[in-house]
Amino acid sequence: MNTWPAELPALLAHLWKRLETAGHIVGDPFRTVALATATDGEPAARIVVLREADAAARTLTAFSDNRAAKVQELRRNPHAQWLFFDPRARVQIRASGPLTIHHGDDVAFRAWEKVAPANRANYAAPFPPGSEIAAPTLALPMPFDHDAGRDHFTVIRATIERLDWLELGEPHHRRAAFAWTGREWKDRWLVP
Ligand SMILES: Cc1cc2nc3c(=O)[nH]c(=O)nc-3n(C[C@H](O)[C@H](O)[C@H](O)COP(=O)(O)O)c2cc1C
C-alpha cells in the first residue's frame, strides 16, 4: 500500500515531520541512520543516532567523539549522505548537504548539558575510538571521567540541500526528489 501523501509538497512536509519525530523517539526506524562519508576516494558508512531534525532550519544532527575517524573524515570533506530506512513502510530517504563539526563551541556545550548522565561515558573512552585493545573492558573509563567525555563530545550538524525519497508500495513504487534552491524546495517525481 502507498501510505505517504500523494502530493509533493505534502510529501515533503510529512518527510520532515517524520524525521523531527524520530529525533526524539527511541525505537523510531528513522532514529538510527547510516551516515556515509567519502574522503580521498574512500567511501565509509556507519550507523549513528539521529539526535535532532529541524525542518525550518533544514538540519540533521548527530553526536560523536572528536577522535572518531568519521569526525576526522568530515573535517577533510564536510559532506555526507544520511540514509534512512523504515522497513515497515518500505520507505528509504537519502539526505545530503554540507556539515558543520561543533567541538568545544557553544553548540557542543549546550548539547552536552542535555546528554543523559548514563550516555556521557560514550564519549569518555581513555583511547580514541578504533584503537586496538587487549579486551573490550579496557575501552571503559575507570573511574568515569566526566570532563573527558565533555572534552571529546562533538556535534555533527548537516544543512540539507537534497532529499531523495523512495517508497516500495502498492499499487506502484514512487520516488521523489527535493532540491533546495536557496529560497525554496524544488520538487519532482522520479522513476523509482
Ligand atoms: C545502533 C547504533 C548507534 C550508533 N550511534 C552512534 C552515534 O550516535 N555516534 C557515533 O559516533 N557512533 C555511533 N555508533 C557507532 C558507529 O556506527 C561506528 O561504529 C563508530 O562510531 C566508529 O565509526 P568511525 O570509525 O567511522 O568513526 C552507533 C552504532 C550503532 C550500532
Side-chain angles (χ1 to χ4, degrees), residues 32 46-49 51 63-65 68-70:
T32 44
R46 78 287 287 161
I47 300 293
V48 295
V49 174
R51 302 290 174 176
F63 298 161
S64 195
D65 184 312
K70 73 179 84 49

Side-chain angles (χ1 to χ4, degrees), residues 98-119:
L99 283 134
T100 310
I101 302 293
H102 295 277
H103 174 243
D105 66 3
D106 275 1
V107 172
F109 288 136
R110 277 202 302 275
W112 174 255
E113 293 307 315
K114 292 195 218 145
V115 175
N119 293 337

Side-chain angles (χ1 to χ4, degrees), residues 125-176:
F127 313 109
S131 304
E132 185 175 332
I133 44 178
T137 47
L138 296 175
L140 305 173
M142 280 301 204
F144 170 51
D145 180 353
H146 177 282
D147 288 340
R150 191 193 54 212
D151 291 350
H152 302 311
F153 179 71
T154 300
V155 175
I156 298 170
R157 181 162 289 158
T159 302
I160 300 306
E161 294 179 340
R162 282 178 310 286
L163 289 161
D164 185 308
W165 173 88
L166 172 72
E167 178 192 54
L168 296 191
E170 299 292 338
H172 45 243
H173 303 335
R174 297 185 294 162
R175 182 175 171 192

